[in-house]
Amino acid sequence: MLSQSLNSGDSRLIRADGLAVEWVTSPGRVDHPEAVAEMEARVAAIAGGRAPERVWLLEHPPLYSAGVSARDEDLLDARFPVHRTGRGGQFTYHGPGQRVAYVMLDLGARGRDVRAFVRGLEAWLIGALGRFGVEADVREGRVGVWVERKGPGWSREDKIAAIGVKVRKWVSFHGISLNVEPDLTHFGGIVPCGISEHGVTSLVDLGVPATMDEADAALRASFQEVFGPVRRVEAPEAGIGADLS
């Protein structure tokens, strides 16, 4: 059953001071441990007032990520490296053709409401997908963003985007992943998010031939509607891997 659509974000999620969020896109594929280390450093710096907020867009090489609620029995075939992480949620897949966005926001300046923040992430994804004419929504009791697919005599619900976050000292990290054109067979090694009765899909699988650049543009436009202004920063300028201590 569909929940009530999230067409707009919570106004508290937009900073009153109007400060823009760094918007960084890394070329190529970033190893998961490197990304986690970078996030840890940035979160500490944001919490300490030494660095601005950041959304970091990247692709990973094929891997499975296990959140704090992951169950061992949901790892069906460890065909790719498995990374245990402190984010919320269960098992998910990351790989080429999937846009991962790590979201490092100061929730202390954005309402101090984690549930509202997660609803904002959902609204962000739904708004981005809507720019491609894809009607997506959330489901009661399930994490992420879903689409309903129908044909003659059949219908099913497939997940198109995942959400898994962690908050430390009111700074968020980890974030979302949007399936643009990943190899969907790679999800077969896990029970995605512990839900076996539904499938996964992507923009291209839905017949929307979106490029990664087009997906990024849609994500950026929708993010600004929910969370406020961004400032694009090139990856070298962003100091990825720099010492922020």
Side-chain angles (χ1 to χ4, degrees), residues 120-240:
L121 296 177
E122 293 167 344
W124 171 27
L125 286 163
I126 290 167
L129 288 164
R131 284 167 164 76
F132 294 102
V134 174
E135 185 177 346
D137 211 326
V138 294
R139 302 294 191 271
E140 293 293 340
R142 299 187 224 155
V143 179
V145 173
W146 300 74
V147 296
E148 186 173 4
R149 310 181 72 175
K150 295 181 179 181
W154 65 271
S155 67
R156 73 171 189 258
E157 296 175 359
D158 288 343
K159 191 172 189 175
I160 192 167
I163 297 172
V165 296
K166 185 174 181 177
V167 176
R168 179 184 298 154
K169 295 182 178 180
W170 289 109
V171 179
S172 69
F173 56 124
H174 296 280
I176 62 99
S177 58
L178 173 63
N179 295 333
V180 180
E181 192 180 7
D183 186 336
L184 295 178
T185 66
H186 290 179
F187 285 88
I190 57 172
V191 178
C193 299
I195 301 172
S196 59
E197 62 268 33
H198 303 290
V200 292
T201 190
S202 68
L203 284 170
V204 171
D205 185 51
L206 292 173
V208 181
T211 67
M212 193 64 76
D213 286 345
E214 289 169 337
D216 289 350
L219 285 168
R220 184 180 181 188
S222 182
F223 181 91
Q224 292 182 103
E225 291 179 350
V226 178
F227 293 104
V230 302
R231 177 175 64 88
R232 186 175 296 176
V233 180
E234 297 299 325
E237 180 189 345
I240 299 295

Side-chain angles (χ1 to χ4, degrees), residues 29-33 59-65 78-83 92-98 182-183 186-187:
R29 299 172 188 171
V30 180
D31 288 336
H32 192 266
E59 289 178 86
H60 284 306
L63 63 93
Y64 296 129
S65 171
R79 67 185 80 166
F80 303 120
V82 178
H83 296 273
T92 193
Y93 165 77
H94 295 312
Q98 181 192 72
D183 186 336
H186 290 179
F187 285 88

Side-chain angles (χ1 to χ4, degrees), residues 45-111:
I46 294 170
R50 303 187 305 277
E53 298 174 302
R54 170 177 289 177
V55 172
W56 184 16
L57 278 64
L58 52 82
E59 289 178 86
H60 284 306
L63 63 93
Y64 296 129
S65 171
V68 294
S69 302
R71 301 173 298 190
D72 290 343
E73 60 267 29
D74 288 341
L75 180 61
L76 307 177
D77 177 11
R79 67 185 80 166
F80 303 120
V82 178
H83 296 273
R84 304 281 174 174
T85 182
R87 64 162 174 79
Q90 302 184 43
F91 277 104
T92 193
Y93 165 77
H94 295 312
Q98 181 192 72
R99 175 53 85 206
V100 173
Y102 289 131
V103 183
M104 292 157 271
L105 298 184
D106 179 2
L107 302 187
R110 296 176 182 271

